[in-house]
Amino acid sequence: MHSYGETDLSTQAEHSSTNRRDFLYIATGAVGAVGAAAVVWPLINQLNPDASTLALASIQYNIAPIEEGQSVTITWRGLPVFVRHRTPKEIEEAKAVPMADLKDPETDEARTKPGHEQWLIMIANCTHLGCIPVGQSGDFDGWFCPCHGSHYDSAGRIRRGPAPKNLVVPPYEFLSDTLVQIG
Amino acid sequence: MSEHSTYVPGTAVEKWLDDRLPVVRFAKEHLMDFPTPKNLNYWWTFGAILVMCLGVQIVTGIILAMHYVPNVALAFDSVEHIRRDISGGRVIQATHAVGASMFFVALYIHMFRGLFYGSYKAPREILWILGVVIFLLTTATAFMGYILPWGQMSFWGATVISNIFSAIPLVGDSIKQLVLGGFAVGNPTLNRFFSLHYLLPFIIAAVVALHIWALHVPGNNNPIGVDVKDSRDTVPFHPYYTMKDLFGMVLFMIPFAWFVFFAPDILGHPDNYIMANSQVTPSHIVPEWYLLPFYTILRAIDFNILFIDSKLGGVIAMGGAMACLLVVPWLDTSKVRSGVFRPMFRWFYGLFVINFIALMYLGAQEAAEPYTTLAKVCTAFYFLYFLVILPVLSRIETPKPLPTSISESVLGNKAHA
Amino acid sequence: MIGAGNMNMHKLIIAAAALVAGLAMAPVAQAAEAGPHPERQAWSFGGIFGTYDTNQLQRGFQVFREVCSSCHSAHLLAFRNLMDEGGPEFSEAQVRALALEYEVNDATADGGRRPAVPADRWPSPFASDQEARDANGGALPPDFSVLAKARGVKDPFPTWIFNYFTAYQEGGPDYIHALLNGYHEEVPEDAPHSSDGTPFQLPEGKHYNDYFPGHAIGMAPPLADGVVDYAEAENGTAVPETLEQYSTDVAAFMMWVAEPHLVSRKQTGFAVLIFLVLFAGLMYGTKRKIWAGIEH
């Protein structure tokens, strides 16, 4: 067995005390960093939509009073939303359009819910720069945006003009034949 | 201010920056290397704690302003909206409200520390006066902040305090109308108080910068009040005092958090949960606790003095109470700074602290006997302390022998322990 | 570490505290109209560990809805709040159905009125404060939104100091509970005399209450044994249908309306305090290590 000299022992002791000290510093720093992060997060999170805004993130709307050929504009998440009760003629026109003619190809079925094809629900902001298009006008029996001349068809798809995309269909579902939940 | 500089730019980039804008050098000199007496006790950590308090108030205040509406019809409900609907809003709002109280706890401790250890004496008079200015600005800021929730206490507190202006002879009523933007506290008042409440903290921060500048010219006072003789008396600020101050801050956060999370309303008044109503006065109007000592002095003058009526007299007394703080460096002319070595001063200082707490207590009581008489006695002692006791003590008191240096005193303490 | 000056400050602070204690013990001029002190109740949400009792809040809501809400508004209470965690925790379907039973003003709806949805606030029983006064003999029934925090109990010294350490925040519900149980059919014998010594005169249309400031309250006793039918709990136990039970339940409900985030606030508080104590310990250790070689 080898016995350590005195110098060796003291060096060792110094070493372990250095390690203990480093550990303490690192632990304190780490815990402090965790604490700082835990303080910062709520300060940022408060910027998110508050509970009263979130409560209106999803709305229910009774579509029964809207007659065929009528549209209403409702507000959802602060945005205007078209709810259009389409005529059979409009639906036919929309279905007849060949995909090749479309700037942003999308079928009419993809923009409506099966069994509820007469209902078209879209966010009412033009996909160009956000104006609200005028209903039942333009060259395609749909919507026409007066700001920069975008024409949308009876399924709300862009046909001519500067807008790049079809009018956006928000997430929605039919809770019954007359009650729709948007969002 | 570069005499302590040990900064040597390590890289070419640091050198380039240092030649143009020596921020790194400045930070190293003043936040790290600054020689600080090694015998500072925990009462000295309250300076750093106050910086933290100001930071907390500014950060939470900016957030509250994102959601608050300064309009008499909407203000009350908008504060409730923050408490109820904003993510984490209840805690952020409580932190700001409790934070105001904690700010004053730290502020009073910091001031009373200075008063005991003679930190206002030469060459630190400007440092002290800047501190009093910070205290006055903070008081004004807190007062205006208390108006914003637009509760009953907000409204009636504003009404009572704004009437202070009307005590000024001749132009008083015009000044009051100018301040309120109307004939009574109303929407214009709320709007301008909101604007100023947002502005003042940044002015406070600027004065704090001057305060620290004025501190770094002569350096810190210390518990024995003996000047630093050589480098053996000091340690660099970092890591010794950065660590000690941070520890002090964390300790301070414990009672802070206690109130925020477990008793956020206990320091407030239930009447402030009733929306402001100009037709109904609460039965008992009480300012926030930190204004109470000065409020008592204001109320104590309920008699005319010669041609000065009681109302103006009260306002003068309150102003005088604050002015005493400003001129204390020239009232206490004792050559010995620290109260530790002043056997008579210590007793009177103790009485002064007790008297100040008594003034605070009396401010919350109704205006009836025995409180009104006690308020007069305590007000008298407040002025007596500054205007008579301190100047007289400076002449008649024989101080205890001072240690020759901080190092000697430190070693002496060790021997006793 | 602790220098002579430090010791001195400690002594001073202790002396100051003692003097304040003495001052506070000085005879307190009792205001003539002050009634008996409301008795503290054992609230489930009291103290630092307290949480709301969901069943009690549901019963309290029933009392509010069937009795109080015919005169009192609660304009900051949204239907959606009734399903919030830590509150009465009704299901979403229950809340939606409940909201549909009420109509709210909406300028965009046909006729300016529409059925409520969970996002709406509780509709007020009167269109304006003036209408509310007219219907209630000139007295305005206060809004319930923060009423439980707008009422309090003034505790004598040294109780109010202990309150800082026990985090007593239940003065409001204590007062409300006491008030609801504090009615007398006739002015009692020991009613305080007015300052000129004449016996207590109850104004026309007012009611005598021990705890109301001035004792003459506009509100008739709103609750009595049996006025609200509580549903039997699932396990078959019945809650007593007594004034005492109703008043406790509705006071608890009002506290929740005033402080809906009480439970989550306290939960966060425990995490924060435990963290701070731990962190303070580490900081102290670090500070000691750094200062180890310095005589100070």
Side-chain angles (χ1 to χ4, degrees):
Chain A
M1 290 294 287
H2 174 80
S3 75
Y4 290 105
E6 222 176 335
T7 351
D8 287 331
L9 272 174
S10 74
T11 324
Q12 225 181 23
E14 235 167 64
H15 248 294
S16 76
S17 118
T18 311
N19 286 341
R20 261 208 314 275
R21 197 172 63 208
D22 286 349
F23 174 75
L24 185 62
Y25 293 170
I26 291 165
T28 309
V31 172
V34 169
V39 168
V40 167
W41 171 240
L43 300 182
I44 294 168
N45 189 37
Q46 53 84 22
L47 292 165
N48 272 315
D50 64 55
S52 61
T53 308
L54 291 177
L56 289 168
S58 153
I59 59 168
Q60 293 183 0
Y61 191 72
N62 179 13
I63 51 176
I66 307 173
E67 310 248 337
E68 197 176 276
Q70 265 191 342
S71 347
V72 294
T73 309
I74 61 175
T75 303
W76 171 74
R77 295 188 182 178
L79 299 172
V81 170
F82 289 139
V83 181
R84 169 127 188 106
H85 193 165
R86 297 191 293 179
T87 60
K89 175 172 164 275
E90 288 172 337
I91 301 172
E92 246 167 68
E93 279 174 1
K95 289 193 166 160
V97 179
M99 286 296 112
D101 288 3
L102 293 174
K103 198 170 175 182
D104 178 16
E106 216 179 351
T107 61
D108 190 61
E109 287 77 14
R111 296 176 59 78
T112 53
K113 299 283 177 198
H116 302 283
E117 282 86 2
Q118 70 274 42
W119 294 104
L120 187 61
I121 299 180
M122 308 179 297
I123 293 175
N125 295 110
C126 178
T127 58
H128 179 220
L129 293 170
C131 295
I132 299 180
V134 179
Q136 286 64 62
S137 59
D139 297 348
F140 299 89
D141 206 11
W143 284 265
F144 170 69
C145 183
C147 290
H148 308 97
S150 293
H151 296 256
Y152 296 91
D153 67 14
S154 57
R157 293 172 296 197
I158 181 65
R159 301 297 290 276
R160 198 165 73 227
K165 294 278 181 192
N166 303 333
L167 288 174
V168 175
V169 176
Y172 71 94
E173 58 182 321
F174 282 88
L175 298 177
S176 70
D177 276 349
T178 55
L179 193 64
V180 61
Q181 176 168 309
I182 306 177
Chain B
M1 298 199 297
S2 57
E3 60 266 41
H4 315 297
S5 186
T6 57
Y7 176 62
V8 183
T11 64
V13 177
E14 286 174 78
K15 173 99 176 59
W16 182 88
L17 180 66
D18 193 51
D19 289 342
R20 285 155 183 81
L21 183 69
V23 275
V24 182
R25 177 183 298 276
F26 183 86
K28 189 162 187 317
E29 273 168 38
H30 288 280
L31 301 177
M32 298 181 72
D33 298 343
F34 192 75
T36 312
K38 61 184 183 182
N39 60 339
L40 302 187
N41 56 37
Y42 276 99
W43 298 112
W44 258 263
T45 59
F46 280 90
I49 288 169
L50 280 164
V51 171
M52 174 185 84
C53 285
L54 181 62
V56 168
Q57 292 307 89
I58 288 179
V59 169
T60 53
I62 287 172
I63 288 171
L64 292 177
M66 294 178 188
H67 306 286
Y68 171 77
V69 185
N71 175 293
V72 292
L74 304 169
F76 186 88
D77 283 359
S78 76
V79 175
E80 274 305 313
H81 167 68
I82 293 169
R83 289 200 185 99
R84 285 159 187 268
D85 291 338
I86 305 296
S87 314
R90 181 60 178 116
V91 170
I92 294 170
Q93 182 276 330
T95 305
H96 197 72
V98 172
S101 281
M102 299 309 287
F103 200 136
F104 276 93
V105 168
L107 201 44
Y108 279 130
I109 292 175
H110 192 63
M111 289 168 74
F112 276 89
R113 189 267 288 160
L115 283 172
F116 181 76
Y117 291 109
S119 300
Y120 47 82
K121 291 184 188 179
R124 298 186 181 83
E125 300 95 324
I126 298 286
L127 171 61
W128 171 261
I129 288 170
L130 286 168
V132 177
V133 169
I134 293 170
F135 170 67
L136 296 178
L137 286 172
T138 308
T139 305
T141 310
F143 168 71
M144 289 191 278
Y146 195 55
I147 311 303
L148 304 184
W150 204 243
Q152 274 288 66
M153 280 294 166
S154 304
F155 181 88
W156 290 99
T159 301
V160 167
I161 299 298
S162 62
N163 267 310
I164 286 177
F165 292 103
S166 70
I168 303 167
L170 303 176
V171 292
D173 278 325
S174 313
I175 292 181
K176 185 185 147 193
Q177 285 177 20
L178 184 79
V179 169
L180 296 184
F183 303 107
V185 176
N187 203 52
T189 323
L190 180 62
N191 262 297
R192 64 192 57 189
F193 279 15
F194 176 58
S195 168
L196 293 174
H197 181 72
Y198 203 118
L199 168 71
L200 281 183
F202 297 98
I203 294 181
I204 292 174
V207 184
V208 168
L210 293 178
H211 188 67
I212 294 171
W213 186 3
L215 168 71
H216 279 207
V217 175
N220 294 75
N221 183 29
N222 65 79
I224 62 168
V226 173
D227 283 330
V228 168
K229 296 281 189 319
D230 58 46
S231 61
R232 276 176 309 164
D233 290 346
T234 64
V235 289
F237 190 76
H238 177 78
Y240 295 97
Y241 284 107
T242 42
M243 201 57 221
K244 189 169 179 176
D245 285 348
L246 281 169
F247 174 56
M249 289 183 204
V250 174
L251 277 188
F252 188 77
M253 279 189 238
I254 291 174
F256 196 150
W258 173 269
F259 283 118
V260 167
F261 291 102
F262 296 120
D265 295 315
I266 210 165
L267 297 165
H269 197 289
D271 276 346
N272 227 29
Y273 275 108
I274 303 170
M275 190 168 147
N277 181 348
S278 62
Q279 308 294 310
V280 183
T281 307
S283 57
H284 188 44
I285 299 180
V286 204
E288 291 289 80
W289 68 268
Y290 40 80
L291 305 174
L292 288 173
F294 298 99
Y295 184 64
T296 306
I297 293 174
L298 174 78
R299 285 201 310 185
I301 312 299
D302 53 6
F303 46 87
N304 296 347
I305 309 162
L306 303 176
F307 57 90
I308 300 170
D309 68 17
S310 54
K311 185 172 173 179
L312 180 58
V315 174
I316 292 174
M318 189 174 76
M322 292 175 176
C324 283
L325 291 170
L326 281 175
V327 296
V328 68
W330 295 277
L331 296 173
D332 176 8
T333 52
S334 170
K335 291 279 171 279
V336 175
R337 287 198 191 100
S338 173
V340 174
F341 303 101
R342 300 183 59 190
M344 291 168 78
F345 167 85
R346 283 163 65 156
W347 282 106
F348 286 106
Y349 174 82
L351 277 175
F352 178 73
V353 173
I354 294 163
N355 186 66
F356 194 76
I357 294 171
L359 282 169
M360 195 176 282
Y361 175 80
L362 292 167
Q365 305 309 312
E366 49 208 294
E369 289 298 344
Y371 304 118
T372 42
T373 307
L374 280 172
K376 290 191 182 82
V377 171
C378 292
T379 302
F381 181 81
Y382 181 95
F383 286 103
L384 210 61
Y385 178 78
F386 284 106
L387 302 177
V388 179
I389 294 171
L390 285 183
V392 170
L393 276 187
S394 311
R395 284 161 206 274
I396 64 168
E397 186 180 45
T398 318
K400 288 199 252 178
L402 293 177
T404 52
S405 73
I406 292 171
S407 298
E408 186 210 330
S409 140
V410 163
L411 293 173
N413 273 349
K414 281 276 143 108
H416 285 301
Chain C
M1 189 66 240
I2 295 172
N6 223 337
M7 289 295 268
N8 200 39
M9 290 275 266
H10 287 300
K11 273 190 220 148
L12 284 176
I13 287 168
I14 292 163
L19 185 111
V20 171
L23 257 179
M25 301 286 196
V28 180
Q30 274 287 337
E33 84 262 44
H37 200 77
E39 209 177 300
R40 287 193 182 185
Q41 303 297 312
W43 301 107
S44 69
F45 49 85
I48 59 170
F49 298 103
T51 57
Y52 290 118
D53 171 350
T54 306
N55 291 323
Q56 183 174 46
L57 293 188
Q58 296 200 354
R59 294 195 302 270
F61 171 67
Q62 193 187 347
V63 176
F64 165 70
R65 190 187 169 200
E66 293 179 15
V67 182
C68 317
S69 70
S70 51
C71 294
H72 290 275
S73 56
H75 76 284
L76 296 174
L77 172 68
F79 287 99
R80 65 183 159 82
N81 294 144
L82 294 167
M83 54 193 179
D84 286 348
E85 210 179 313
E89 298 187 1
F90 287 108
S91 71
E92 190 185 341
Q94 281 174 309
V95 171
R96 208 170 269 286
L98 174 79
L100 280 177
E101 294 178 33
Y102 291 84
E103 274 204 331
V104 292
N105 292 326
D106 183 348
T108 64
D110 284 342
R113 304 274 288 172
R114 62 165 172 77
V117 295
D120 287 313
R121 310 267 167 178
W122 192 264
S124 300
F126 300 104
S128 69
D129 280 3
Q130 194 50 49
E131 213 172 280
R133 279 179 206 282
D134 293 346
N136 289 282
L140 178 69
D143 186 88
F144 269 25
S145 306
V146 287
L147 193 58
K149 292 200 289 184
R151 296 293 180 270
V153 171
K154 203 166 181 255
D155 281 316
F157 181 87
T159 317
W160 61 265
I161 293 189
F162 297 150
N163 290 346
Y164 290 157
F165 297 94
T166 57
Y168 172 71
Q169 298 262 279
E170 292 81 46
D174 280 341
Y175 169 79
I176 291 164
H177 171 268
L179 183 92
L180 290 170
N181 288 281
Y183 280 95
H184 291 269
E185 280 185 30
E186 280 172 19
V187 177
E189 297 278 309
D190 58 350
H193 289 214
S194 67
S195 52
D196 58 3
T198 51
F200 189 89
Q201 284 294 321
L202 194 63
E204 184 65 33
K206 299 278 183 187
H207 308 269
Y208 189 91
N209 191 298
D210 280 339
Y211 298 92
F212 191 72
H215 298 301
I217 186 170
M219 175 169 71
L223 295 171
D225 290 354
V227 293
V228 178
D229 284 330
Y230 281 153
E232 226 171 61
E234 276 163 28
N235 58 14
T237 53
V239 177
E241 292 172 358
T242 59
L243 168 60
E244 170 65 29
Q245 186 65 42
Y246 296 146
S247 56
T248 312
D249 291 347
V250 80
F253 172 75
M254 287 171 70
M255 185 63 190
W256 169 76
V257 174
E259 187 69 18
H261 298 307
L262 174 140
V263 175
S264 66
R265 165 163 64 74
K266 288 181 185 173
Q267 276 169 355
T268 315
F270 279 109
V272 169
L273 275 188
I274 290 167
F275 172 86
L276 283 176
V277 169
L278 175 83
F279 190 39
L282 280 171
M283 295 286 276
Y284 184 65
T286 305
K287 186 244 154 201
R288 290 261 309 207
K289 283 270 186 227
I290 287 174
W291 280 83
I294 309 281
E295 298 282 349
H296 63 282

